[in-house]
């Protein structure tokens, strides 16, 4: 489930002009890790999941659980200007 939720967040960010490479740089995560996580080859640790959730302004529950909670609109994300 994490890989799907992360994929949605990264895809939406890309549509709004924010590249995965830039997000990885800002989170101090290797860009290749996003690829591994999205392909299900690896899984981030708890601290990294918290960083990702904080960055995208979603809960860790949203990233980890099968329950669908509405994600915030990307205009509300802290990296997106209003």
């Amino acid at each position: 489930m994490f890989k799907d939720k992360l994929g949605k967040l990264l895809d939406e960010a890309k549509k709004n002009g924010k590249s995965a490479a830039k997000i990885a740089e800002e989170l101090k995560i290797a860009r290749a890790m996003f690829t591994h996580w999205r392909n299900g080859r690896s899984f981030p640790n708890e601290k990294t999941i918290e960083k990702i959730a904080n960055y995208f302004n979603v809960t860790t529950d949203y990233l980890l659980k099968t329950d669908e909670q509405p994600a915030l609109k990307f205009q509300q994300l802290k990296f997106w200007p209003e």
Side-chain angles (χ1 to χ4, degrees):
M1 193 50 48
F2 172 80
K3 68 180 184 171
D4 298 328
K5 301 278 181 81
L6 178 63
K8 286 180 186 179
L9 291 170
L10 290 173
D11 290 344
E12 284 299 316
K14 186 177 180 179
K15 288 178 191 175
N16 289 298
K18 191 78 162 186
S19 71
K22 182 65 174 169
I23 294 168
E25 177 185 323
E26 291 172 356
L27 289 172
K28 296 178 175 42
I29 296 170
R31 168 63 184 95
M33 292 310 300
F34 282 136
T35 303
H36 292 301
W37 297 334
R38 287 182 80 175
N39 292 332
R41 285 184 274 182
S42 66
F43 193 79
N45 63 32
E46 184 178 329
K47 183 178 176 181
T48 303
I49 292 169
E50 288 178 15
K51 283 171 58 173
I52 293 167
N54 288 335
Y55 183 87
F56 286 108
N57 200 23
V58 297
T59 65
T60 54
D61 283 346
Y62 171 75
L63 289 173
L64 299 174
K65 294 188 177 180
T66 58
D67 298 339
E68 285 293 325
Q69 103 185 24
L72 295 173
K73 293 185 179 182
F74 277 82
Q75 290 79 7
Q76 295 173 325
L77 294 177
K78 57 186 162 186
F79 66 76
W80 199 256
E82 294 195 21

